[in-house]
Amino acid sequence: MGKKLQAEATKHGIHNVFDDGGYKELLLLTLLDLKKLGRTGDDAADSLGRQYEIKTVARVSSRGVRKTSLGITTEHTLTIENIERYRRVHLWIVAVFDQAAPESIYEIAPSRLETFFGEWERKIRDQISRGVEGSAPPHLNNPKIPLKFVINNGVCIWPLLAQDGVPRQQTLTE
């Protein structure tokens, strides 16, 4: 099973489907018809060349505990350059996974996230103005966006809802 899954992942530019969220990324690229970009920078692009930031959120911790509060992680060393890149993408795709199964997928425009971007940028500029020194450039350590914010300000694109508001049965190959 693993060899077959890896063969499919390789077609999408994922060279180890079992590391660093490769399986989840494969599902999202396939479902949304996106192409993986390089290891650094934006995560994916569509057929029109629009670029996307993809974030996955785990419902179950690595210890097997179901989380009650979920957040979207950013970068271990979030810099001004990262924030500028975040602002330039077409959309953010945020997917919540319950272990291997996607629970929900949202898209949100970067403009809706500006509150966070502006706050982070102010904090980094404050570091710069205070002359904070270290081996890394001025940065924040992995600030998070509450998933609730994305739910309230983004658009749920999966599962699709029927007209009565009830999720319809579908598979990722639909």
PDB file of all heavy atoms in Angstrom, residues 2-15:
ATOM      1  N   GLY A   2       1.938   1.220   0.781  1.00  0.00           N
ATOM      2  CA  GLY A   2       2.805   2.384   0.870  1.00  0.00           C
ATOM      3  C   GLY A   2       3.485   2.713  -0.436  1.00  0.00           C
ATOM      4  O   GLY A   2       3.628   3.886  -0.800  1.00  0.00           O
ATOM      5  N   LYS A   3       3.908   1.686  -1.175  1.00  0.00           N
ATOM      6  CA  LYS A   3       4.575   1.913  -2.458  1.00  0.00           C
ATOM      7  C   LYS A   3       3.621   2.539  -3.467  1.00  0.00           C
ATOM      8  O   LYS A   3       4.000   3.437  -4.215  1.00  0.00           O
ATOM      9  CB  LYS A   3       5.149   0.605  -3.003  1.00  0.00           C
ATOM     10  CG  LYS A   3       6.353   0.124  -2.231  1.00  0.00           C
ATOM     11  CD  LYS A   3       6.891  -1.166  -2.802  1.00  0.00           C
ATOM     12  CE  LYS A   3       8.075  -1.650  -1.994  1.00  0.00           C
ATOM     13  NZ  LYS A   3       8.625  -2.890  -2.531  1.00  0.00           N
ATOM     14  N   LYS A   4       2.378   2.084  -3.483  1.00  0.00           N
ATOM     15  CA  LYS A   4       1.383   2.645  -4.401  1.00  0.00           C
ATOM     16  C   LYS A   4       1.089   4.108  -4.049  1.00  0.00           C
ATOM     17  O   LYS A   4       1.015   4.964  -4.921  1.00  0.00           O
ATOM     18  CB  LYS A   4       0.113   1.808  -4.345  1.00  0.00           C
ATOM     19  CG  LYS A   4      -0.918   2.185  -5.362  1.00  0.00           C
ATOM     20  CD  LYS A   4      -2.097   1.225  -5.318  1.00  0.00           C
ATOM     21  CE  LYS A   4      -3.133   1.619  -6.344  1.00  0.00           C
ATOM     22  NZ  LYS A   4      -4.296   0.721  -6.298  1.00  0.00           N
ATOM     23  N   LEU A   5       0.952   4.377  -2.756  1.00  0.00           N
ATOM     24  CA  LEU A   5       0.707   5.746  -2.307  1.00  0.00           C
ATOM     25  C   LEU A   5       1.895   6.644  -2.648  1.00  0.00           C
ATOM     26  O   LEU A   5       1.724   7.769  -3.126  1.00  0.00           O
ATOM     27  CB  LEU A   5       0.443   5.756  -0.803  1.00  0.00           C
ATOM     28  CG  LEU A   5       0.056   7.085  -0.181  1.00  0.00           C
ATOM     29  CD1 LEU A   5      -1.216   7.648  -0.810  1.00  0.00           C
ATOM     30  CD2 LEU A   5      -0.123   6.924   1.318  1.00  0.00           C
ATOM     31  N   GLN A   6       3.117   6.150  -2.444  1.00  0.00           N
ATOM     32  CA  GLN A   6       4.304   6.942  -2.768  1.00  0.00           C
ATOM     33  C   GLN A   6       4.397   7.210  -4.253  1.00  0.00           C
ATOM     34  O   GLN A   6       4.769   8.313  -4.670  1.00  0.00           O
ATOM     35  CB  GLN A   6       5.582   6.272  -2.274  1.00  0.00           C
ATOM     36  CG  GLN A   6       6.824   7.100  -2.541  1.00  0.00           C
ATOM     37  CD  GLN A   6       6.762   8.480  -1.920  1.00  0.00           C
ATOM     38  OE1 GLN A   6       6.638   8.620  -0.712  1.00  0.00           O
ATOM     39  NE2 GLN A   6       6.828   9.530  -2.739  1.00  0.00           N
ATOM     40  N   ALA A   7       4.063   6.230  -5.084  1.00  0.00           N
ATOM     41  CA  ALA A   7       4.100   6.437  -6.532  1.00  0.00           C
ATOM     42  C   ALA A   7       3.166   7.577  -6.932  1.00  0.00           C
ATOM     43  O   ALA A   7       3.525   8.436  -7.745  1.00  0.00           O
ATOM     44  CB  ALA A   7       3.732   5.152  -7.267  1.00  0.00           C
ATOM     45  N   GLU A   8       1.981   7.610  -6.353  1.00  0.00           N
ATOM     46  CA  GLU A   8       1.029   8.704  -6.642  1.00  0.00           C
ATOM     47  C   GLU A   8       1.577  10.030  -6.124  1.00  0.00           C
ATOM     48  O   GLU A   8       1.489  11.059  -6.788  1.00  0.00           O
ATOM     49  CB  GLU A   8      -0.329   8.393  -6.021  1.00  0.00           C
ATOM     50  CG  GLU A   8      -1.398   9.394  -6.359  1.00  0.00           C
ATOM     51  CD  GLU A   8      -1.737   9.476  -7.839  1.00  0.00           C
ATOM     52  OE1 GLU A   8      -1.556   8.479  -8.573  1.00  0.00           O
ATOM     53  OE2 GLU A   8      -2.165  10.558  -8.273  1.00  0.00           O
ATOM     54  N   ALA A   9       2.150  10.027  -4.938  1.00  0.00           N
ATOM     55  CA  ALA A   9       2.703  11.248  -4.356  1.00  0.00           C
ATOM     56  C   ALA A   9       3.843  11.793  -5.210  1.00  0.00           C
ATOM     57  O   ALA A   9       3.950  13.005  -5.416  1.00  0.00           O
ATOM     58  CB  ALA A   9       3.182  10.977  -2.929  1.00  0.00           C
ATOM     59  N   THR A  10       4.685  10.921  -5.724  1.00  0.00           N
ATOM     60  CA  THR A  10       5.808  11.347  -6.554  1.00  0.00           C
ATOM     61  C   THR A  10       5.319  12.090  -7.787  1.00  0.00           C
ATOM     62  O   THR A  10       5.929  13.081  -8.198  1.00  0.00           O
ATOM     63  CB  THR A  10       6.682  10.141  -6.931  1.00  0.00           C
ATOM     64  OG1 THR A  10       7.167   9.547  -5.716  1.00  0.00           O
ATOM     65  CG2 THR A  10       7.866  10.551  -7.793  1.00  0.00           C
ATOM     66  N   LYS A  11       4.208  11.662  -8.357  1.00  0.00           N
ATOM     67  CA  LYS A  11       3.623  12.365  -9.509  1.00  0.00           C
ATOM     68  C   LYS A  11       3.290  13.810  -9.164  1.00  0.00           C
ATOM     69  O   LYS A  11       3.258  14.670 -10.031  1.00  0.00           O
ATOM     70  CB  LYS A  11       2.343  11.677  -9.985  1.00  0.00           C
ATOM     71  CG  LYS A  11       2.534  10.323 -10.587  1.00  0.00           C
ATOM     72  CD  LYS A  11       1.167   9.755 -10.985  1.00  0.00           C
ATOM     73  CE  LYS A  11       1.209   8.290 -11.277  1.00  0.00           C
ATOM     74  NZ  LYS A  11      -0.155   7.750 -11.509  1.00  0.00           N
ATOM     75  N   HIS A  12       3.033  14.071  -7.879  1.00  0.00           N
ATOM     76  CA  HIS A  12       2.657  15.414  -7.426  1.00  0.00           C
ATOM     77  C   HIS A  12       3.824  16.170  -6.796  1.00  0.00           C
ATOM     78  O   HIS A  12       3.627  17.204  -6.171  1.00  0.00           O
ATOM     79  CB  HIS A  12       1.504  15.316  -6.428  1.00  0.00           C
ATOM     80  CG  HIS A  12       0.222  14.872  -7.045  1.00  0.00           C
ATOM     81  ND1 HIS A  12      -0.652  15.737  -7.655  1.00  0.00           N
ATOM     82  CD2 HIS A  12      -0.311  13.632  -7.191  1.00  0.00           C
ATOM     83  CE1 HIS A  12      -1.680  15.061  -8.130  1.00  0.00           C
ATOM     84  NE2 HIS A  12      -1.497  13.782  -7.855  1.00  0.00           N
ATOM     85  N   GLY A  13       5.036  15.644  -6.935  1.00  0.00           N
ATOM     86  CA  GLY A  13       6.216  16.330  -6.412  1.00  0.00           C
ATOM     87  C   GLY A  13       6.437  16.128  -4.932  1.00  0.00           C
ATOM     88  O   GLY A  13       7.192  16.871  -4.304  1.00  0.00           O
ATOM     89  N   ILE A  14       5.783  15.141  -4.329  1.00  0.00           N
ATOM     90  CA  ILE A  14       5.970  14.829  -2.914  1.00  0.00           C
ATOM     91  C   ILE A  14       6.873  13.603  -2.859  1.00  0.00           C
ATOM     92  O   ILE A  14       6.459  12.508  -3.218  1.00  0.00           O
ATOM     93  CB  ILE A  14       4.619  14.558  -2.228  1.00  0.00           C
ATOM     94  CG1 ILE A  14       3.724  15.806  -2.328  1.00  0.00           C
ATOM     95  CG2 ILE A  14       4.828  14.155  -0.771  1.00  0.00           C
ATOM     96  CD1 ILE A  14       2.292  15.568  -1.937  1.00  0.00           C
ATOM     97  N   HIS A  15       8.104  13.785  -2.412  1.00  0.00           N
ATOM     98  CA  HIS A  15       9.107  12.739  -2.529  1.00  0.00           C
ATOM     99  C   HIS A  15       9.173  11.797  -1.335  1.00  0.00           C
ATOM    100  O   HIS A  15       9.861  10.787  -1.402  1.00  0.00           O
ATOM    101  CB  HIS A  15      10.461  13.352  -2.855  1.00  0.00           C
ATOM    102  CG  HIS A  15      10.376  14.156  -4.119  1.00  0.00           C
ATOM    103  ND1 HIS A  15      10.178  13.579  -5.358  1.00  0.00           N
ATOM    104  CD2 HIS A  15      10.384  15.492  -4.326  1.00  0.00           C
ATOM    105  CE1 HIS A  15      10.091  14.521  -6.277  1.00  0.00           C
ATOM    106  NE2 HIS A  15      10.218  15.688  -5.676  1.00  0.00           N
TER     107      HIS A  15
END
